[in-house]
Amino acid sequence: VWTSDKQGGLSAVAFGRQLSCAYVGREAAGEKKSLLSSAFGRIQSFFAGGANRPRAPPSAADPSALAQSPICCEDDVLHLKELPSFGGRVSSVEAEHLLQVLTVPYLRLPLLLSFFAPQHRVAALAETRVQEMLDATLFEPGEWLPPAGSPAVTEVPAPSRAPFATAAGLLVNEMQHAPEGLAASLLEIGTNALELDPGKFKPDGGPAAILYAVRLLTRVQSVARAMTGADDAAGA
């Protein structure tokens, strides 16, 4: 859905979030602006303020986006002056740990689930930013592994993320190679979330954490069913 205000600005909403309206084209280096490109640039500035914005928002599991500061490795987290509080549901030490975990996409899925599974942390699942972070970690596909396979790791740290690509996403990869730890953390989240039931519905707090936990378990179960169904079809 898009709307326009009296000043000529555009507002677009889709997929449950506010979208940024901006022209994505870039001028080639050294290229002189033609009359047409100059006119188009003025139109761009009129509608989007001339901002050089990405075509899509960053991942909710991107530590740089969460911290509002560039983060490439664990050392960068140690130099942050401010840490995200996630609505006050995690301490500064826990927020630092979360950001460090997010810097290792191939390992962060089981680490994040085990972090939020204990009873004293499961209430943090009521926070929207925590929910978005877990959803991005579990259900974003990540880097794709082509049929030719990935190159072998010959040095540490690896010069690129190519060796850590997956054919069907990190969640499917984790279910194939380490399902026990994944299932244990998910079941612990579900069990401990139910303990937050206050006896009556509230839009936040315990009920919000319970609803998210149920949604999370249901989505993971759907992925597991799709995997077992594919195996049954292949076996037939």
Side-chain angles (χ1 to χ4, degrees):
V1 178
W2 67 272
T3 57
S4 175
D5 57 26
K6 294 182 179 180
Q7 287 73 35
L10 285 178
S11 175
V13 178
F15 312 109
R17 66 175 64 187
Q18 184 77 29
L19 302 182
S20 299
C21 302
Y23 173 64
V24 204
R26 295 182 180 177
E27 182 181 358
E31 181 183 352
K32 294 184 179 179
K33 290 185 178 180
S34 64
L35 181 62
L36 180 60
S37 64
S38 299
F40 194 89
R42 288 196 295 271
I43 296 175
Q44 173 188 351
S45 300
F46 178 77
F47 283 108
N52 186 14
R53 299 175 181 175
R55 297 185 64 179
S59 169
D62 182 355
S64 299
L66 288 171
Q68 298 296 307
S69 179
I71 295 178
C72 298
C73 62
E74 295 182 13
D75 292 341
D76 295 333
V77 179
L78 301 177
H79 298 288
L80 290 176
K81 295 182 179 179
E82 294 185 9
L83 294 167
S85 63
F86 297 99
R89 297 186 182 275
V90 298
S91 66
S92 57
V93 175
E94 291 172 331
E96 184 177 283
H97 174 73
L98 285 176
L99 291 177
Q100 290 176 333
V101 166
L102 290 174
T103 61
V104 283
Y106 194 78
L107 299 175
R108 66 189 180 188
L109 193 157
L111 294 177
L112 285 178
L113 288 178
S114 63
F115 178 85
F116 287 107
Q119 192 170 17
H120 65 284
R121 291 201 187 108
V122 74
L125 298 181
E127 171 60 29
T128 302
R129 294 182 71 190
V130 172
Q131 297 176 7
E132 293 174 346
M133 177 179 64
L134 283 176
D135 285 344
T137 300
L138 268 73
F139 304 111
E140 286 183 358
E143 297 194 35
W144 179 68
L145 177 66
S150 60
V153 178
T154 57
E155 57 182 295
V156 178
S160 71
R161 298 217 52 81
F164 307 105
T166 60
L170 291 171
L171 178 57
V172 172
N173 184 74
E174 197 71 22
M175 286 181 168
Q176 287 179 327
H177 301 290
E180 295 85 1
L182 184 70
S185 295
L186 288 169
L187 290 175
E188 187 177 1
I189 286 176
T191 301
N192 289 333
L194 291 177
E195 298 295 327
L196 301 175
D197 184 7
K200 61 180 181 179
F201 178 75
K202 295 180 181 179
D204 55 4
I210 294 173
L211 290 174
Y212 175 73
V214 171
R215 186 166 69 248
L216 177 68
L217 293 174
T218 302
R219 294 181 68 184
V220 173
Q221 183 186 37
S222 298
V223 175
R225 282 194 163 195
M227 292 175 62
T228 55
D231 291 341
D232 292 342

